[in-house]
Amino acid sequence: MQKRDFSLHGAVDLAARAAAAKKQQERAAQAGAGGQGGQYSFEATDATFSAEVVERSLRTPVMVAFVVENEPSCDALVADLEKLVAEGGGSWYLARIDIEINQQLQGYLQQMRVQRLPFVGVVVQGQMMPFLNSVPPEAELRAATGELFAALKEQGLMGDVPQGAEAPQEEVDPAHAAAEDALARGDFEAAAEAFRGVLAADPRDEVAKRRLALTELTLRVKDYDQAQVEADPLKAADVRLLQGDPEGAFELLLSVVRSSAGEERNAARVHLLSLFETLPGDDQRVAKARRALQAALF
């Protein structure tokens, strides 16, 4: 099958992008209704990548297929992967990303010097590694996938769900239900408002604080363009965090704190503190960055 070239910096026609976004919503609805990949396959976006892929990968590996709309090679590969993930019974997950819609995630493709799609990576313990940049026959794909997950199992990095078993469903706190429903349908303004309501009732709800911080971050980032990200380290840090690279995001801001003074330094410090809120309080990456911040300030 012929693979499609793409440009990481090319402009995307807005009408085509809107049509693709609508199709993405339709695919997500089909997945929720029990598509070929069942409950183990889902559509990921710039906005949901951190929560649905990076955080999930801390417990269970997530294979990520970077594709483009209406590309036969992409469709064929995803169809084969959906068959395999359904057979895996929750031992791993599959995320599909339309890269023409979710341009913030193109950073992963740049890091791995990917020039053609489809591309498949695997996120394990929050880190992505390359897996495929081709479209092998199903038999070869099955063998390669089996070898990959066998190696991860030897290292103790596979999920705890046995082959063919049902994955346990995460319970949603009733107080968070409205916010999570809003996130699921992509209404981030409503989700942020709902999380603020949760915190008004219980200011000590750490999960709501973190989810609100992530939601507000998503609302900021969706209005960024490439030129802004390249020119502003605060915006670049936001993008890196949503791409699943909090350490890179923290280091960008720490470098500004170390090399600047006055309002610029304080803005970077305050922004760094706000990004800390997107991760659990006991996250070691936050603890390390807090120590580095103290050292830079004093």
Side-chain angles (χ1 to χ4, degrees):
M1 295 181 183
Q2 198 171 27
K3 291 171 285 188
R4 174 174 170 180
D5 289 311
F6 73 103
S7 169
L8 293 173
H9 300 290
V12 178
D13 178 79
L14 293 180
R17 185 169 179 175
K22 181 177 180 181
K23 290 182 180 179
Q24 177 173 286
Q25 293 175 344
E26 292 171 353
R27 287 193 301 268
Q30 290 171 355
Q36 187 174 10
Q39 60 185 308
Y40 312 122
S41 176
F42 58 93
E43 196 85 14
T45 68
D46 288 335
T48 65
F49 188 84
S50 181
E52 292 191 352
V53 175
V54 176
E55 289 191 25
R56 191 190 299 266
S57 78
L58 300 178
R59 304 181 299 273
T60 309
V62 181
M63 193 172 286
V64 182
F66 292 89
V67 298
V68 287
E69 184 69 24
N70 295 327
E71 172 57 41
S73 61
C74 294
D75 294 342
L77 180 60
V78 169
D80 287 344
L81 288 170
E82 286 180 338
K83 184 185 300 183
L84 296 180
V85 75
E87 294 173 3
S91 58
W92 58 282
Y93 287 83
L94 172 66
R96 181 191 186 282
I97 294 173
D98 187 330
I99 203 61
E100 288 185 327
I101 297 174
N102 301 289
Q103 295 184 319
Q104 299 294 346
L105 291 171
Q106 289 181 358
Y108 280 112
L109 305 181
Q110 292 173 319
Q111 292 167 15
M112 298 182 186
R113 301 182 183 277
V114 177
Q115 296 299 318
R116 291 178 180 270
L117 294 180
F119 170 75
V120 181
V122 180
V123 185
V124 181
Q125 297 292 304
Q127 300 297 316
M128 182 176 289
M129 57 184 179
F131 177 53
L132 285 175
N133 201 186
S134 63
V135 187
E138 183 183 336
E140 291 183 16
L141 177 63
R142 183 181 295 275
T145 303
E147 291 174 4
L148 168 68
F149 291 123
L152 292 177
K153 185 175 182 179
E154 287 182 4
Q155 299 173 52
L157 297 175
M158 289 297 291
D160 297 329
V161 180
Q163 187 81 3
E166 289 292 324
Q169 297 297 310
E170 295 183 6
E171 293 186 5
V172 176
D173 186 325
H176 295 192
E180 297 297 339
D181 286 346
L183 286 176
R185 65 177 184 268
D187 189 344
F188 300 104
E189 289 86 356
E193 188 63 29
F195 281 126
R196 292 186 191 107
V198 172
L199 288 169
D202 182 6
R204 297 173 298 177
D205 190 325
E206 295 300 323
V207 173
K209 288 179 183 178
R210 182 160 61 93
R211 298 292 274 168
L212 175 59
L214 276 170
T215 303
E216 291 177 336
L217 172 62
T218 299
L219 286 168
R220 290 201 305 270
V221 168
K222 74 176 186 176
D223 294 326
Y224 295 171
D225 60 34
Q226 188 65 30
Q228 290 175 319
V229 172
E230 291 176 353
D232 187 340
L234 276 63
K235 289 182 170 60
D238 285 348
V239 171
R240 284 203 180 186
L241 195 142
L242 276 184
Q243 288 177 343
D245 182 17
E247 291 170 303
F250 297 162
E251 185 54 39
L252 265 178
L253 296 174
L254 285 167
S255 66
V256 176
V257 172
R258 296 185 186 108
S259 62
S260 62
E263 292 184 6
E264 182 181 2
R265 187 187 204 199
N266 189 57
R269 179 189 66 82
V270 171
H271 200 80
L272 179 57
L273 293 175
S274 75
L275 293 191
F276 288 164
E277 297 297 319
T278 66
L279 296 175
D282 59 355
D283 191 293
Q284 291 304 305
R285 294 167 295 186
V286 173
K288 179 180 177 182
R290 285 190 187 278
R291 292 192 295 269
L293 178 61
Q294 291 297 317
L297 292 173
F298 303 105

